[in-house]
């Protein structure tokens, strides 16, 4: 089909581009498919299915599903930058059959048109090049085998002997460049490179270097060189290193140059023809026919026969088969239209009815153009498609329009309902965010005009997510409806309440200058929302955090006020929830400070400012060093050494605690190995590890790379957040960690609510009694019994017991008498940097009772 004809056909198509393209491509003898911008397979003709889906009728979801895993990303990546005006893209891909066999194809991807969403559609034509690939591989092998033996051929032979400085160029090599035997050669490589085309210059230098290095990828390359007569010739250079010196450096490279100018011209011509074919496929119509008025012959594709309900064996002639199907009322007009356009050579369209042999009536639309071929024959080419459904739909739409006009009042009511739904939340029937935005603009304008005040209460339900997750969305929906009812029943007359998403609500209220009234309103809301709500036998309890912002005067910015209320809400939630907070400059400064600390933490990771500190542990009976605990510190460039209470909470919000844990572990292992290499007797190293890091599926692989000596390292886990809450993934990770020889210890034992069963299930090597229990052991008999009970539990389970926060000699004596195994605290050693450990151990001051005075500290999961 002529290119301009098919282009015009699609340009003026019925609007159903996929249907049009399916109709034409179904009859195409080539395997063709249609994909969208995400490479989703929308259609494949029967040839495509037969050749590439082994006849299966069901299409895969995407074209990539047919491809080798290494090629699956190529098609989506290739079409990302294509649009309707882009040329075709050619890709070499591998198709994998269900049986596992593999074939090479060239995929031609062409932009076709846009669908009703305005997205570009693409045609994909697959050409099997498996045999060519195999032949190419065999040819490359033969060339590699025989290149060194080449002494004469139609190609120009060259021989560079770098050892002797001799270079040989055959007569054919000179002929390719238009040189006579007497013409002098370039004096140097730099001089010869001046003859190379500027666009190929850098590539040729690189290729020569790689070829001399023996890189097989550059055994063959092509480039343009200026002929003696001034024009450019394409040269294919084949070369290989045949001799090397003792250091492996190339001393002789032999090869051939071949003039491939004609081949390049042929390739360009072939590419041009391919582009024309691509365009023809792009603008293909549906059922395509071609009529020769000089011979009376008519050619129909398969889809044309299907449109008219015929077998392909039927003979089609001008004045015969097609004309017999025309509806009697349309026949004269249609044939007159064809006759009128035969000699004009212009595109024209028509729509008419046909009566098929089964008696059914169909409506056909056609796009047609006449032309004279190279033999002087008067011809007409065109496309037909069945638009019966479109016509039927159009008629139904006309009837619907008539009915709609008759029911104008009902539509007006529906419009009002739609407007209401557009401005209200579907679940609670409260105004939605869109309605709130309009109210903010309206109230802001009123305040500017009348100088009234405005207050905004931003409400967030506490514990709503837990109810939603545990009892289901139905329970969550009921809670939201209940909250909406409470808010509507609590607000004052003239106030405005909206649900702006999820479990968030906003109240817009007049502000008369009294924050106390707003505070009372917020307290009433919190009080009412905290009352239990029954749902299917469950008492559901939730609360509310409220942020309040208010302002009076003409300069009020209602939208900024909403943002301020949101900032105040953030502060209320951070201060414990079920409370309200007013926005203030301090609140904003707190947010800014939080942002600054967050940025500093991320910068500290880049600058490697997190370092380990160490606190030694001692055998309670002998006071010999039993180990050392690693503690995280931040070496802040301005504020000095910071303990975790200054940065840990923000690090958890940034989700970088696991990163800090990893950094501290790496540095601690290096220090530990250095101490042992210098003869310091430190039996083991304990390191804090966050619960989140234990969810890392790759943790054991990372630890394996550290080559930790079994029995020298233990991980400390917080009992308060761990024992009874660890899931299966964490337990599996712990099992892998133990296989690496890393022990598990429970930190801060006694502060949580772990059961003995969970302790048995975890089976730690040691548990550490929390410092709060140790602190009063010398003052409280009750406390002493509790610590003794924990020690007895440890001994009965064969678990070593460590007491942390030991700060007096009296505590040392009591804990030793109670049978505690290991002691750690200021009474024996403070946390110190790596450089202080050797001196401290060598001087042995802890044995003389010269213990430092304790300081107030806040305990955190990543260390003291």
């Amino acid at each position: 089909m002529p290119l301009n004809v098919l282009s015009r056909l699609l340009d003026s198509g019925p609007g159903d581009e996929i249907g049009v393209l399916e109709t034409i491509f179904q009859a195409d003898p080539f395997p063709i498919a249609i994909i969208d911008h995400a490479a989703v397979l929308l259609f494949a003709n029967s040839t495509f299915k037969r050749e590439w889906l082994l006849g299966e009728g069901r299409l895969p979801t995407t074209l990539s599903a047919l491809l080798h895993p290494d090629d699956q990303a190529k098609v989506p990546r290739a079409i990302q930058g294509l649009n309707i005006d882009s040329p075709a893209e050619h890709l070499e891909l591998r198709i994998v059959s269900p049986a596992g066999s593999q074939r090479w194809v060239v995929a031609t991807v062409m932009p076709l048109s846009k669908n009703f969403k305005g997205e570009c559609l693409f045609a994909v034509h697959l050409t099997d090049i498996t045999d060519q690939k195999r032949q190419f591989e065999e040819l490359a092998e033969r060339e590699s085998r025989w290149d060194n033996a080449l002494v004469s051929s139609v190609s120009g032979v060259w021989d560079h002997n770098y050892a002797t400085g001799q270079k040989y160029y055959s007569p054919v090599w000179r002929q390719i460049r238009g040189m006579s035997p007497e013409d002098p050669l370039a004096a140097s490589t730099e001089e010869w490179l001046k003859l190379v085309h500027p666009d190929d210059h850098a590539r040729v230098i690189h290729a020569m270097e790689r070829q001399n290095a023996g890189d097989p990828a550059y055994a063959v390359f092509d480039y343009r060189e200026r002929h003696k007569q001034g024009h450019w010739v394409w040269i294919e250079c084949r070369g290989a290193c045949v001799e090397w010196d003792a250091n492996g450096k190339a001393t002789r490279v032999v090869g051939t140059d071949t003039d491939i100018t004609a081949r390049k011209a042929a390739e360009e011509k072939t590419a041009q023809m391919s582009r024309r074919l691509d365009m023809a496929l792009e603008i293909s119509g549906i059922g395509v026919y071609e009529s020769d008025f000089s011979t009376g012959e008519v050619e129909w594709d398969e889809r044309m026969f299907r449109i008219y309900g015929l077998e392909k064996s039927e003979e089609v002639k001008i004045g015969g088969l097609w004309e017999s199907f025309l509806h009697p009322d349309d026949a004269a007009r249609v044939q007159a239209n064809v006759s009128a356009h035969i000699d004009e050579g212009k595109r024209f369209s028509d729509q008419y009815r046909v009566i098929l042999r089964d008696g059914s009536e169909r409506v056909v639309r056609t796009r047609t153009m006449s032309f004279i071929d190279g033999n002087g024959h008067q011809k007409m080419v065109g496309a037909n498609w069945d638009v019966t459904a479109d016509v039927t739909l159009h008629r139904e739409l006309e009837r619907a329009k008539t009915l709609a006009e008759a029911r104008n009042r009902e539509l007006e009511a529906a419009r009002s309902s739609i407007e209401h739904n557009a401005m209200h939340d579907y679940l609670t029937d409260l105004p939605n965010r869109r309605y709130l935005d309009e109210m903010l603009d309206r109230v802001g304008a009123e305040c500017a005009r009348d100088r009234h005040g405005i207050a905004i209460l931003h409400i967030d339900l506490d514990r709503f997510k837990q109810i939603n997750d545990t009892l289901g969305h139905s329970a969550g929906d009921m809670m939201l409806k209940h909250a909406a009812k409470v808010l509507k029943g609590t607000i004052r007359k003239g106030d405005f309440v909206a649900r702006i998403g999820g479990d968030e609500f906003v109240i817009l209220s007049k502000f008369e200058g009294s924050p106390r009234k707003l505070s009372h309103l917020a307290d009433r809301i919190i009080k009412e929302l905290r009352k239990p709500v029954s749902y299917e036998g469950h008492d559901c309890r939730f609360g509310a955090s409220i942020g309040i912002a208010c302002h009076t005067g003409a300069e009020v910015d209602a939208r900024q006020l909403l943002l301020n209320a949101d900032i105040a809400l953030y502060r209320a939630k951070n201060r414990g929830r079920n409370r309200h907070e007013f926005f203030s400059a301090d609140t904003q400064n707190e947010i800014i400070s939080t942002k600054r600390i967050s940025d500093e933490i991320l910068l500290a990771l880049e600058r490697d400012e997190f370092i380990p500190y160490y606190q030694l542990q001692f055998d309670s009976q002998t006071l010999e060093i039993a180990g050392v605990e690693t503690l995280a510190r931040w070496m802040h460039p301005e504020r000095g050494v910071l303990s975790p209470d200054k940065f840990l909470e923000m690090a958890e919000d940034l989700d970088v605690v696991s990163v800090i844990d990893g950094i501290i572990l790496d540095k601690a292992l290096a220090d530990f190995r250095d101490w042992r290499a210098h003869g310091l007797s430190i039996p083991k190293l304990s390191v804090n590890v966050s619960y989140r890091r234990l969810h890392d599926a790759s943790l054991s692989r990372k630890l394996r790379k550290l080559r930790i000596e079994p029995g020298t390292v233990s991980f400390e886990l917080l009992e308060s957040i761990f024992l009874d809450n660890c899931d299966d993934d964490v337990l599996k990770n712990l099992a892998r960690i133990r296989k690496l020889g890393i022990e598990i210890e429970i930190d801060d034992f006694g502060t949580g609510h772990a059961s003995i069963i969970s302790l048995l299930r975890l089976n730690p090597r040691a548990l550490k009694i929390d410092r709060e229990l140790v602190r009063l052991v010398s003052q409280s008999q009750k406390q002493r019994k509790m610590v003794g009970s924990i020690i007895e539990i440890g001994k009965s389970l064969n678990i070593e017991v460590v007491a942390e926060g030991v700060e007096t000699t009296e505590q040392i004596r009591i804990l030793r008498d109670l049978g505690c195994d290991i002691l750690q605290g200021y009474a024996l050693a403070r946390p110190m940097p790596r450089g202080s450990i050797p001196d401290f151990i060598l001087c042995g001051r802890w044995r003389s009772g010269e213990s430092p005075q304790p300081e107030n500290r806040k305990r955190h999961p990543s260390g003291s």
Side-chain angles (χ1 to χ4, degrees):
M1 179 185 297
L3 176 63
N4 56 352
V5 174
L6 294 178
S7 176
R8 292 186 177 96
L9 287 175
L10 192 57
D11 288 344
S12 58
D16 183 8
E17 290 80 359
I18 292 296
V20 173
L21 297 172
E22 288 178 2
T23 305
I24 284 299
F25 289 161
Q26 186 60 43
D28 202 301
F30 300 101
I32 297 178
I34 301 174
I35 62 175
D36 66 10
H37 67 287
V40 174
L41 268 171
L42 305 176
F43 164 78
N45 67 5
S46 56
T47 307
F48 187 98
K49 293 179 180 179
R50 182 173 61 254
E51 292 190 12
W52 304 110
L53 301 179
L54 301 181
E56 296 179 5
R58 186 174 181 182
L59 290 176
T61 304
T62 66
L63 179 61
S64 299
L66 297 175
L67 303 180
H68 188 281
D70 293 344
D71 295 345
Q72 288 179 354
K74 289 184 178 180
V75 174
R77 186 167 58 244
I79 66 178
Q80 282 300 312
L82 298 182
N83 55 47
I84 195 65
D85 298 320
S86 299
E89 186 80 9
H90 302 281
L91 306 171
E92 280 197 9
L93 306 169
R94 287 165 287 180
I95 298 288
V96 181
S97 72
S101 61
Q102 176 178 296
R103 288 189 289 172
W104 280 91
V105 298
V106 170
T108 303
V109 184
M110 300 148 292
L112 287 172
S113 72
K114 295 183 178 179
N115 60 16
F116 70 96
K117 295 180 180 178
E119 299 168 341
C120 194
L121 305 178
F122 305 87
V124 180
H125 172 229
L126 302 183
T127 303
D128 193 332
I129 60 168
T130 306
D131 290 339
Q132 294 92 318
K133 270 283 185 181
R134 290 172 181 164
Q135 292 170 6
F136 179 83
E137 292 171 357
E138 292 172 0
L139 179 60
E141 183 178 354
R142 289 197 298 271
E143 288 176 348
S144 175
R145 186 181 302 132
W146 295 108
D147 274 352
N148 295 339
L150 183 62
V151 295
S152 64
S153 79
V154 293
S155 299
V157 179
W158 50 268
D159 185 346
H160 294 171
N161 193 325
Y162 298 112
T164 64
Q166 294 179 337
K167 294 185 178 181
Y168 165 78
Y169 301 95
S170 70
V172 176
W173 187 93
R174 291 173 174 271
Q175 291 172 12
I176 290 172
R177 294 160 173 80
M179 299 172 62
S180 67
E182 295 76 22
D183 287 334
L185 298 170
S188 64
T189 301
E190 290 73 19
E191 189 68 25
W192 169 76
L193 284 171
K194 294 178 181 179
L195 299 175
V196 175
H197 194 285
D199 294 344
D200 301 339
H201 195 274
R203 182 168 56 84
V204 168
I205 293 174
H206 179 70
M208 290 171 60
E209 291 174 351
R210 298 309 306 152
Q211 194 177 78
N212 291 345
D215 190 340
Y218 291 87
V220 181
F221 64 92
D222 54 39
Y223 66 94
R224 287 162 289 182
E225 186 174 336
R226 187 175 296 281
H227 193 271
K228 184 179 180 181
Q229 296 179 359
H231 60 275
W232 297 104
V233 290
W234 276 97
I235 294 175
E236 181 181 77
C237 176
R238 293 176 177 270
C241 181
V242 297
E243 294 179 9
W244 300 264
D245 63 15
N247 297 321
K249 183 178 180 182
T251 59
R252 187 181 179 191
V253 182
V254 179
T256 62
D257 283 0
T258 305
D259 186 345
I260 59 170
T261 306
R263 191 182 81 189
K264 283 288 187 178
E267 289 176 354
E268 177 58 30
K269 186 174 182 180
T270 301
Q272 185 180 29
M273 293 175 64
S274 177
R275 287 193 293 271
R276 290 176 179 173
L277 175 60
D278 293 344
M279 292 181 66
L281 290 172
E282 176 186 348
I283 61 173
S284 292
I286 303 180
V288 179
Y289 68 89
E290 184 173 288
S291 302
D292 189 329
F293 290 94
S294 300
T295 65
E297 295 178 352
V298 180
E299 293 184 10
W300 280 12
D301 67 4
E302 182 180 353
R303 183 58 181 168
M304 283 290 293
F305 284 99
R306 291 172 61 186
I307 289 174
Y308 289 88
L310 300 173
E311 298 294 331
K312 291 187 67 176
S313 58
E314 297 266 3
E315 183 180 20
V316 186
K317 291 284 186 179
I318 292 177
L321 186 64
W322 173 72
E323 289 80 358
S324 69
F325 284 100
L326 295 175
H327 192 285
D329 295 341
D330 296 346
R333 175 185 60 79
V334 173
Q335 295 183 71
N337 194 19
V338 171
S339 299
H341 288 87
I342 288 175
D343 299 325
E344 293 184 3
K346 296 181 180 179
R347 180 182 64 188
F348 68 97
S349 60
D350 205 348
Q351 183 171 302
Y352 48 85
R353 293 165 292 173
V354 295
I355 299 177
L356 305 187
R357 288 177 179 173
D358 62 4
S360 62
E361 180 180 304
R362 312 296 295 174
V363 181
V364 174
R365 186 172 296 165
T366 180
R367 294 284 188 273
T368 313
M369 177 176 281
S370 62
F371 66 98
I372 298 176
D373 69 5
N375 297 320
H377 290 199
Q378 184 76 46
K379 290 188 175 182
M380 180 174 285
V381 66
N384 285 185
W385 61 91
D386 188 334
V387 294
T388 307
D390 292 345
V391 172
T392 301
L393 178 61
H394 179 72
R395 292 170 182 166
E396 290 176 355
L397 289 175
E398 286 293 330
R399 287 195 296 269
K401 179 183 177 182
T402 302
L403 179 63
E405 290 173 350
R407 297 172 57 186
N408 186 57
R409 291 181 181 178
E410 295 180 14
L411 285 177
E412 183 62 28
R415 183 187 65 79
S416 299
S417 176
I418 291 172
E419 288 182 354
H420 177 85
N421 292 337
M423 302 293 283
H424 289 76
D425 172 48
Y426 76 97
L427 181 65
T428 62
D429 202 39
L430 288 177
N432 57 17
R433 180 57 188 260
R434 179 180 174 185
Y435 198 166
L436 173 64
D437 288 342
E438 290 191 5
M439 285 297 295
L440 288 173
D441 293 338
R442 186 187 309 170
V443 172
E446 291 176 357
C447 289
R449 184 186 65 242
D450 303 331
R451 298 183 180 275
H452 290 162
I454 180 175
I456 295 179
L457 285 74
H458 192 167
I459 304 162
D460 184 272
L461 301 184
D462 297 327
R463 296 191 72 252
F464 171 77
K465 186 177 184 302
Q466 289 91 326
I467 295 173
N468 211 36
D469 291 344
T470 55
L471 299 181
H473 292 291
S474 296
D477 289 348
M478 197 200 82
M479 296 304 111
L480 291 172
K481 291 178 181 178
H482 170 73
K485 182 179 179 182
V486 168
L487 293 177
K488 286 191 289 186
T490 307
I491 61 174
R492 300 169 296 186
K493 184 178 180 180
D495 289 349
F496 175 86
V497 59
R499 180 191 175 202
I500 63 172
D503 57 350
E504 295 184 55
F505 300 82
V506 167
I507 294 176
L508 196 59
S509 178
K510 291 182 179 180
F511 178 58
E512 299 172 351
S514 174
R516 181 178 298 178
K517 290 183 178 180
L518 294 175
S519 182
H520 289 334
L521 174 61
D523 288 338
R524 287 201 307 273
I525 292 172
I526 293 172
K527 179 181 178 181
E528 289 299 319
L529 290 177
R530 292 185 66 178
K531 293 179 180 179
V533 181
S534 178
Y535 175 78
E536 295 185 353
H538 299 277
D539 278 345
C540 301
R541 297 177 181 272
F542 60 92
S545 298
I546 303 177
I548 307 173
C550 50
H551 200 278
T552 304
E555 72 282 2
V556 107
D557 184 341
R559 291 181 182 270
Q560 180 60 46
L561 209 58
L562 178 61
L563 180 60
N564 294 346
D566 184 54
I567 293 174
L569 172 63
Y570 176 83
R571 186 173 188 180
K573 296 180 77 67
N574 278 354
R575 289 193 168 186
R577 304 176 185 267
N578 272 315
R579 58 183 293 125
H580 68 268
E581 290 286 341
F582 281 86
F583 172 81
S584 66
D586 290 342
T587 305
Q588 192 167 25
N589 291 337
E590 182 180 318
I591 299 297
I592 294 172
S593 176
T594 300
K595 173 66 167 58
R596 178 179 56 78
I597 295 174
S598 299
D599 293 340
E600 287 183 350
I601 289 175
L602 296 177
L603 186 60
L605 289 172
E606 295 178 8
R607 294 176 174 175
D608 195 24
E609 293 175 358
F610 289 98
I611 61 171
Y613 262 48
Y614 302 96
Q615 188 170 27
L616 291 167
Q617 300 171 332
F618 302 88
D619 184 286
S620 65
Q621 301 300 319
T622 66
L623 292 187
E624 294 293 333
I625 294 174
V628 62
E629 180 184 2
T630 308
L631 310 169
R633 294 293 185 267
W634 178 7
M635 186 64 71
H636 195 283
E638 297 176 358
R639 299 164 62 190
V641 179
L642 301 181
S643 57
D645 60 294
K646 300 296 192 300
F647 62 83
L648 184 65
E649 184 176 350
M650 187 55 60
E652 288 176 341
D653 290 341
L654 294 171
D655 195 20
V656 296
V657 174
S658 296
V659 179
I660 296 174
D661 282 354
I663 292 171
I664 297 300
L665 175 60
D666 290 344
K667 293 181 178 181
L669 286 173
D671 293 343
F672 184 66
R673 288 164 181 159
D674 183 62
W675 294 331
R676 300 190 80 181
H678 285 81
L680 291 180
S681 179
I682 301 178
K684 70 176 184 67
L685 174 78
S686 61
V687 184
N688 292 278
V689 61
S690 66
Y691 184 59
R692 184 172 298 178
R693 195 179 188 205
L694 291 174
H695 281 85
D696 183 357
S698 63
L699 177 59
S700 60
R701 176 173 54 80
K702 296 174 182 177
L703 293 174
R704 192 176 294 110
K705 292 181 179 180
L706 298 178
R707 300 186 181 278
I708 297 172
E709 180 183 341
T712 61
V713 174
S714 62
F715 282 174
E716 292 192 10
L717 314 174
L718 282 186
E719 181 251 5
S720 60
I721 62 170
F722 184 80
L723 281 181
D724 288 337
N725 295 319
C726 57
D727 55 33
D728 291 339
D729 291 338
V730 172
L731 290 176
K732 290 177 182 177
N733 238 353
L734 289 174
R736 297 188 192 103
I737 291 171
R738 279 205 173 95
K739 287 183 179 179
L740 296 175
I742 300 173
E743 298 291 349
I744 302 299
E745 298 183 6
I746 303 302
D747 198 5
D748 290 355
F749 189 82
T751 60
H753 305 281
S755 64
I756 299 299
I757 294 175
S758 63
L759 193 62
L760 286 170
R761 179 175 62 166
L762 187 61
N763 190 27
R765 188 194 70 84
L767 58 84
K768 298 179 71 173
I769 303 174
D770 183 73
R771 67 181 62 255
E772 287 301 314
L773 299 178
V774 173
R775 183 173 61 87
L776 300 175
V777 74
S778 59
Q779 305 170 22
S780 168
Q781 184 67 26
K782 180 179 179 182
Q783 203 82 344
R784 194 176 308 173
K785 288 182 178 180
M786 181 181 297
V787 171
S789 298
I790 294 175
I791 294 172
E792 289 300 320
I793 292 173
K795 290 185 177 300
S796 65
L797 298 177
N798 198 27
I799 297 173
E800 189 175 71
V801 179
V802 181
E804 61 178 347
V806 180
E807 298 181 343
T808 66
T809 54
E810 177 68 10
Q811 290 172 351
I812 294 175
R813 183 189 63 76
I814 293 172
L815 291 167
R816 179 191 296 137
D817 293 344
L818 290 174
C820 184
D821 299 299
I822 306 296
L823 304 178
Q824 176 183 340
Y826 275 28
L828 297 164
R830 287 175 176 269
M832 62 190 77
R834 57 160 291 181
S836 300
I837 291 292
D839 291 341
F840 183 86
I841 292 176
L842 292 175
C843 76
R845 282 186 299 176
W846 72 90
R847 298 181 184 278
S848 63
E850 297 179 18
S851 58
Q853 291 302 312
E855 65 182 13
N856 293 326
R857 296 169 301 158
K858 185 178 180 181
R859 182 66 172 170
H860 279 268
S862 285
S864 298

